[in-house]
Amino acid sequence: MTQQSVRDSGRRTPSSDRLRQVLVAIGAVVAVVGSFIGSGAAGGTPIAQAAGGALSADATLLAPAGGAFSIWSVIYLGLVGYAIWQFLPAQRADDRQRRLGYPVLLTLVLNAAWILSVQAGLLALSAVVILLLLVSLCWAYGRAIATRGLGRRSALGTLLVDGTLGLYLGWVSVATAANITSFLQFAGFTGFGWSPEGWAIAIVGVAGLVGVLVAVWSRGSISAMLSLAWGLVWIEVSRVSGALPSRPVAMAAFGAAAVVVVATLVARIVAERGRRAEAAR
């Protein structure tokens, strides 16, 4: 533990730790309730039909097919698992949880806010909120990477923290691109003379670059790679079999997914060799 973390821990009290745990648990409940509303199961309009269908599978060239959204079930399960796990007494004063709790809470609140904005048909607001969600996830995931050496490490903790946040970040990266594209299209953006396919291919390329950067940043996070590649592949599926076909965009999405997978595996191998070399000294 660093001197700074010792000073940070010294300023915390049992009551502030308990408050953090309770707020994260409440945030997880709010996010899950929001997901039920967004799915239409609790009386709300399904996301694909809300906001005039702006986020449906065939709304834009970057919209993934409907099957892609099943990943939310895994992400929410991980978030609920994390909320329960961090609530355990052993995690109350854990320095890693102290640093992660509020960033994760912010992502949960923004998640619910995004669903509500889409349900209200406020597409412009939804684009802003999902961008804020992506930024907050980068903050939370950055904290997770920076604190890997803090606290008590366990396979369950690694799965619930690193695994869940990686999935969350990777998928929201793809969802942000799709959401902002939908907003721009419905707002009448003409593309400065570029064709819709040209823009879609360029954005897919940016998503692939983001995946490579995350791979290097995280030293080969498998969970972030899986969700980002998952989203890109489902864009390809939608462009091949959906009502808005585009072979160039489909090929670009598949290629970007492949690049993300390869970059992640290479980053992981390099990181593992570095750890072994360090251990051998």
Side-chain angles (χ1 to χ4, degrees):
M1 183 179 293
T2 65
Q3 291 183 353
Q4 180 63 44
S5 65
V6 170
R7 288 194 295 268
D8 290 344
S9 297
R11 288 195 293 265
R12 304 296 179 92
T13 64
S15 60
S16 64
D17 287 327
R18 176 64 71 185
L19 175 63
R20 184 195 70 246
Q21 291 175 307
V22 170
L23 289 176
V24 169
I26 292 173
V29 171
V30 170
V32 170
V33 170
S35 74
F36 276 107
I37 294 174
S39 69
T45 305
I47 293 295
Q49 299 172 20
L55 300 176
S56 67
D58 298 311
T60 72
L61 290 171
L62 284 178
F69 298 95
S70 61
I71 195 173
W72 274 121
S73 299
V74 181
I75 294 172
Y76 283 125
L77 181 62
L79 289 171
V80 170
Y82 169 74
I84 295 172
W85 178 78
Q86 63 89 41
F87 210 79
L88 298 177
Q91 303 303 322
R92 181 182 304 172
D94 182 81
D95 197 50
R96 193 179 197 211
Q97 301 316 310
R98 284 174 166 172
R99 295 182 181 217
L100 281 173
Y102 287 110
V104 172
L105 174 61
L106 179 59
T107 72
L108 295 170
V109 172
L110 288 171
N111 191 321
W114 178 80
I115 293 172
L116 291 176
S117 65
V118 175
Q119 288 285 316
L122 303 174
L123 194 58
L125 180 60
S126 75
V128 173
V129 173
I130 200 168
L131 186 58
L132 291 174
L133 174 57
L134 179 60
V135 171
S136 68
L137 275 168
C138 288
W139 179 34
Y141 197 56
R143 284 284 181 92
I145 293 172
T147 58
R148 281 175 175 169
L150 297 179
R152 302 173 183 175
R153 299 305 303 276
S154 66
L156 179 59
T158 299
L159 177 65
L160 293 176
V161 175
D162 302 84
T164 299
L165 289 178
L167 283 177
Y168 201 1
L169 174 62
W171 171 248
V172 170
S173 297
V174 175
T176 299
N179 196 155
I180 292 177
T181 300
S182 295
F183 161 65
L184 291 174
Q185 177 172 298
F186 277 73
F189 178 64
T190 58
F192 302 118
W194 281 31
S195 68
E197 283 188 328
W199 271 106
I201 291 170
I203 295 173
V204 163
V206 171
L209 177 60
V210 168
V212 172
L213 293 175
V214 170
V216 174
W217 181 36
S218 65
R219 298 187 290 277
S221 168
I222 297 298
S223 59
M225 174 267 286
L226 287 175
S227 56
L228 211 158
W230 168 273
L232 289 169
V233 167
W234 278 101
I235 290 175
E236 183 228 355
V237 170
S238 191
R239 299 292 70 79
V240 170
S241 59
L244 192 61
S246 172
R247 185 173 296 276
V249 176
M251 293 175 63
F254 183 79
V259 168
V260 171
V261 171
V262 171
T264 301
L265 294 178
V266 170
R268 193 170 187 85
I269 290 171
V270 170
E272 183 60 30
R273 287 180 176 176
R275 282 191 291 268
R276 290 179 180 178
E278 186 67 26
R281 291 178 184 178

